[in-house]
Amino acid sequence: MEVEYSNDKFNNRSFTGFIGEITDLSHIINDINKIKLKRNIKVKRIIKNDEDLKMLGLSKEILKTKIKDLSESEYKLVLLIKTCALKPNIIILNNFDLGFNYKTKSKISKYIKTINALYNIDFIIITNDLLFINKNAKHIIIAKNEIIKYQGDILTAIKQGLLEKLPIIDFIDLAREKNKKIEYTLDKKELLKAIYRSVF
């Protein structure tokens, strides 16, 4: 559950989902680094831009807090901001999403997309949360024991049985069995639109 970075080049994609372990990724990227924040310094020595705090839903009051007094979630968000400030070529979010609620995950998604647009930093997202990956990266890599098993889009991987079949896919399969022309998606809003189109 950390933020790591690299100045290597990867696969020319802004966002890549990665299903596997960091050791599997280290076989592909040679130079993976991580930042350790000093426990006794205050957040204001690390974060200079209030806009970053605002985008991630953090109060300015956090600037007065020592690193050691942050909650685990706050620590991870501060670490993300600090890593982005370094402007490396790649930022790796290694199970970073664990422990965050849906609202905060949405803010994280918007934040990393903004950082990508501003600084051309690529993101690799390692997680087992397929919905979080889908929200951030259409291209995924599945690796096991340092061997790449699959590269491509997430829906194809699910259809091929390489990833767990989510309830939304089961629902679409059921609808298609009843001759409803609903396209496969992992996005609930897109599914609602497809249902609406199939009815009218």
Side-chain angles (χ1 to χ4, degrees):
M1 295 184 288
E2 51 199 321
V3 182
E4 297 173 276
Y5 68 95
S6 175
N7 283 309
D8 277 0
K9 294 289 182 187
F10 191 49
N11 64 3
N12 296 323
R13 293 180 184 273
S14 296
F15 298 92
T16 302
F18 192 87
I19 311 289
E21 301 297 326
I22 192 71
T23 51
D24 297 320
L25 183 60
S26 63
H27 179 68
I28 304 166
I29 298 178
N30 297 318
D31 178 35
I32 297 177
N33 304 290
K34 63 176 109 176
I35 299 172
K36 290 278 188 186
L37 302 178
K38 294 180 181 174
R39 292 177 45 77
N40 286 315
I41 65 169
K42 290 188 177 177
V43 173
K44 67 182 175 183
R45 290 198 36 210
I46 296 168
I47 297 176
K48 307 299 180 194
N49 186 351
D50 291 350
E51 191 61 31
D52 290 315
L53 296 175
K54 186 178 175 184
M55 285 182 71
L56 289 168
L58 294 169
S59 161
K60 283 187 183 182
E61 291 300 310
I62 200 172
L63 294 171
K64 301 172 188 173
T65 309
K66 287 187 176 181
I67 295 297
K68 67 179 182 180
D69 297 325
L70 296 174
S71 70
E72 185 178 335
S73 296
E74 290 169 335
Y75 178 85
K76 290 198 304 186
L77 294 174
V78 169
L79 189 60
L80 175 61
I81 294 169
K82 172 64 177 170
T83 306
C84 291
L86 295 175
K87 298 179 185 164
N89 289 337
I90 302 168
I91 293 178
I92 302 155
L93 302 180
N94 183 7
N95 289 306
F96 182 82
D97 55 301
L98 292 176
F100 289 114
N101 61 28
Y102 177 80
K103 186 177 178 182
T104 305
K105 285 184 183 184
S106 292
K107 288 181 179 180
I108 292 166
S109 295
K110 286 180 186 171
Y111 181 74
I112 64 177
K113 286 173 184 172
T114 300
I115 293 297
N116 169 259
L118 287 175
Y119 305 116
N120 201 29
I121 297 172
D122 295 337
F123 285 82
I124 298 173
I125 301 160
I126 304 173
T127 181
N128 290 319
D129 183 342
L130 300 183
L131 296 178
F132 186 69
I133 285 181
N134 186 64
K135 187 165 188 170
N136 295 290
K138 300 306 173 201
H139 181 81
I140 65 165
I141 295 172
I142 301 173
K144 189 170 183 179
N145 300 325
E146 299 180 1
I147 297 169
I148 294 176
K149 305 284 188 183
Y150 174 83
Q151 288 189 67
D153 70 275
I154 192 167
L155 283 171
T156 302
I158 291 171
K159 288 180 199 173
Q160 291 179 1
L162 297 168
L163 297 173
E164 68 175 297
K165 199 172 181 186
L166 300 175
I168 193 169
I169 299 296
D170 287 331
F171 178 85
I172 294 169
D173 282 341
L174 187 61
R176 288 169 72 99
E177 285 173 15
K178 297 186 182 297
N179 295 320
K180 299 295 180 186
K181 295 179 180 177
I182 297 177
E183 294 298 316
Y184 284 100
T185 182
L186 295 179
D187 186 299
K188 290 178 185 175
K189 289 180 183 173
E190 289 301 316
L191 176 60
L192 287 173
K193 288 178 192 174
I195 292 169
Y196 182 80
R197 285 192 298 269
S198 73
V199 170
F200 295 102

